[in-house]
Amino acid sequence: MKFSKKRKLILDFILNNDKHLTADSIYLELKKDNPELSLGTVYRNLAQLSENELIKKISLNGQIDVFDKNLEKHGHLICDLCNSINDIDISPLEETIKKMSEKNNVSMTNYELTLHGVCKICENEIKE
Amino acid sequence: MKFSKKRKLILDFILNNDKHLTADSIYLELKKDNPELSLGTVYRNLAQLSENELIKKISLNGQIDVFDKNLEKHGHLICDLCNSINDIDISPLEETIKKMSEKNNVSMTNYELTLHGVCKICENEIKE
DNA sequence: ATAGGTGCAAAGTCTTTGCGCTTAA
DNA sequence: TTAAGCGCAAAGACTTTGCACCTAT
C-alpha cells in the first residue's frame, strides 16, 4: 500500500480523533484545509485502510458506516438520545460467547455487541 | 392500524417464512402472484409492522435491513461463506450484559449480538 | 517507469416520499 | 365518510466506479 499525502491526511485525522467518524464527516472536516479533496478518495482510503487493519470499519445500526481507531475487540454503546457512540469493554463476555458458539456448533470468526441506552452525558442533563 | 389486503399479504408471508427477509426479496416473491404490488408499499408496511411490533427489524452488517418474525430477544449468526442468517439463543449473556451496563453507568434499553463464522451446513459441506 | 492514487462526475443500491386514486372501518 | 393505504415514479442518502491525469516508489 502506497502512502500518499491524502492517505496520510485521512489516517492521521482518524488516529488523532476520539470520535467515531463517518466518511462524510471526515471529508467535510479535511476539506476545510484541503479544498481539492474528494469524497471518493475518502471512501477509497477508508476501505483500503480498514482492509489493511490500520483502522476499523464498524457497521452499526444499518445506515451509515463509522470508522474507529480502536482496533481492539470492543463493543459499542449508542445513545438513544444524542446518538453518540462510545466504546465499551466486552472482555467479561468473551468466555460465554465462545462457549455459545461451540454450543451452536459453529466456528466463530468474529462477533459484535452493541448496547442501546442513554449515555452518561445525557443522563446528567436529564437530572439537571 | 388498518389491515389492508397488502398488509395481510406481507405479514403472512413473513410469518410463514423461516428465513430472514429483505424488503426486496419480499417484494419479488409476492409480486409473482400480485403483479400490482409496489416496492414502496412493502417498505411502508415493513416500517409500520415493525413499529407495531408484529415483526422485528434487524439492521445487521450495515447495508441491508432484514425482517424477522422472531420477536424474542435473540442474537444472530451470519455465515461467512453462504451469508445465511440464523437466530441464536443469547440468554446466557443476559446477566453479564446487564452488569456491564450498570458498570458503564448507562441505562440500557436494548442490545444486539451478532456472531460471524461458518454455519453448520457449510461446515458439513467442507468436510465432504 | 509504472502500479497505484486522485478528482470529478456519473451511476448504483437501498430506502423514502409526494401525489392523486382507492379502501378499510 | 374519511383517515389510512396504494401504485407509481421521482428524489434522497450513502457508496462505488470509470476515466484521464498525477505521484510514490
Side-chain angles (χ1 to χ4, degrees):
Chain A
M1 186 173 55
K2 255 189 216 179
F3 266 86
S4 67
K5 285 177 187 170
K6 296 292 155 61
R7 181 155 300 160
K8 278 180 197 141
L9 186 69
I10 293 166
L11 179 57
D12 283 351
F13 182 66
I14 296 169
L15 297 183
N16 292 315
N17 197 304
D18 279 325
K19 282 184 283 192
H20 294 76
L21 301 158
T22 62
D24 202 55
S25 70
I26 294 168
Y27 169 68
L28 288 175
E29 195 56 38
L30 291 178
K31 198 169 176 64
K32 289 179 186 169
D33 289 326
N34 307 268
E36 60 332 318
L37 181 66
S38 90
L39 186 53
T41 296
V42 174
Y43 274 105
R44 276 187 285 232
N45 274 292
L46 292 173
Q48 189 73 213
L49 289 168
S50 52
E51 267 171 35
N52 285 276
E53 300 187 318
L54 293 166
I55 60 174
K56 196 168 182 179
K57 178 177 174 173
I58 305 164
S59 300
L60 289 171
N61 37 355
Q63 333 314 4
I64 309 174
D65 283 344
V66 128
F67 295 83
D68 195 342
K69 67 176 174 183
N70 182 352
L71 296 173
E72 297 303 308
K73 191 77 209 147
H74 63 279
H76 291 98
L77 167 73
I78 304 181
C79 179
D80 292 337
L81 298 180
C82 69
N83 292 312
S84 67
I85 304 170
N86 287 291
D87 290 352
I88 49 177
D89 175 31
I90 50 174
S91 51
L93 295 171
E94 193 82 15
E95 266 312 299
T96 322
I97 289 177
K98 270 183 193 158
K99 277 180 199 156
M100 236 162 71
S101 74
E102 281 161 25
K103 197 177 165 188
N104 279 272
N105 211 13
V106 297
S107 39
M108 187 179 65
T109 52
N110 195 15
Y111 65 88
E112 292 134 27
L113 178 73
T114 308
L115 306 191
H116 297 264
V118 180
C119 73
K120 294 178 196 176
I121 295 169
C122 287
E123 190 90 20
N124 286 333
E125 280 180 11
I126 294 170
K127 285 178 191 162
E128 279 165 19
Chain B
M1 185 173 55
K2 257 188 217 179
F3 266 86
S4 67
K5 285 177 186 171
K6 296 293 156 60
R7 182 156 301 158
K8 278 180 197 139
L9 186 70
I10 293 166
L11 179 57
D12 283 350
F13 182 67
I14 296 168
L15 296 184
N16 292 315
N17 197 304
D18 278 327
K19 282 185 282 192
H20 294 75
L21 302 157
T22 62
D24 203 54
S25 70
I26 294 168
Y27 169 68
L28 288 175
E29 196 56 39
L30 291 179
K31 198 172 176 64
K32 289 179 187 168
D33 289 325
N34 307 268
E36 50 351 304
L37 180 65
S38 92
L39 186 54
T41 296
V42 174
Y43 274 105
R44 275 187 283 232
N45 274 292
L46 292 173
Q48 189 72 212
L49 290 167
S50 53
E51 267 172 35
N52 285 274
E53 299 188 319
L54 292 167
I55 60 173
K56 197 167 178 180
K57 177 177 175 175
I58 305 164
S59 300
L60 289 171
N61 37 355
Q63 332 315 3
I64 309 175
D65 284 344
V66 128
F67 295 83
D68 195 342
K69 66 175 174 182
N70 182 352
L71 297 171
E72 296 303 307
K73 190 76 209 151
H74 64 278
H76 291 98
L77 167 73
I78 303 181
C79 179
D80 292 337
L81 298 179
C82 69
N83 292 312
S84 67
I85 304 171
N86 288 290
D87 291 353
I88 49 176
D89 174 31
I90 50 173
S91 51
L93 295 171
E94 192 82 13
E95 266 312 297
T96 322
I97 289 177
K98 271 184 193 158
K99 276 181 200 155
M100 236 163 73
S101 74
E102 281 161 25
K103 197 178 166 186
N104 279 271
N105 211 12
V106 296
S107 40
M108 187 179 64
T109 52
N110 194 16
Y111 64 89
E112 291 135 27
L113 178 73
T114 307
L115 306 191
H116 298 263
V118 180
C119 73
K120 294 177 196 176
I121 295 170
C122 287
E123 191 89 21
N124 286 333
E125 279 180 12
I126 294 170
K127 283 178 192 161
E128 282 164 17

